[in-house]
Amino acid sequence: MIQSGFRTTDQNGIASNEFVFSIADKSLAEALMTAGGQVVELRYKEYFGALPWRGYSKYIVDEILNITPVNNSASSEFPVIVPQ
């Protein structure tokens, strides 16, 4: 997922601010795959590390709080990711 804003990768570059996460629930993953290009609010759990049976990231999304089409959102709104 690409968050609003940018981050610096080193002294010479700028990259998008990406949030890398895993999802254990198949229906939740399917809902997120259909939400492309929209503002999405998520809830996730952060673990100390990744485990193969839990995913390949230490961040595991466990709930979608809100999905808002871009046309209906205010220009100052950004994707919100809420840690648990």
Side-chain angles (χ1 to χ4, degrees):
M1 176 177 296
I2 298 178
Q3 298 175 301
S4 61
F6 296 98
R7 65 179 173 85
T8 57
T9 56
D10 56 26
Q11 295 177 349
N12 300 323
I14 295 177
S16 60
N17 192 13
E18 297 176 4
F19 177 63
V20 178
F21 58 90
S22 296
I23 299 175
D25 183 351
K26 184 177 179 178
S27 62
L28 189 65
E30 290 171 352
L32 276 177
M33 285 191 280
T34 62
Q38 299 183 57
V39 177
V40 179
E41 295 179 59
L42 302 173
R43 178 159 297 151
Y44 67 92
K45 292 181 182 177
E46 181 177 359
Y47 295 93
F48 289 112
L51 296 171
W53 59 86
R54 194 171 52 207
Y56 296 100
S57 168
K58 65 180 188 175
Y59 303 104
I60 310 298
V61 171
D62 59 0
E63 184 179 0
I64 298 174
L65 299 175
N66 192 18
I67 298 176
T68 308
V70 174
N71 295 339
N72 295 338
S73 65
S75 61
S76 62
E77 277 190 54
F78 298 109
V80 177
I81 301 171
V82 181
Q84 252 186 352

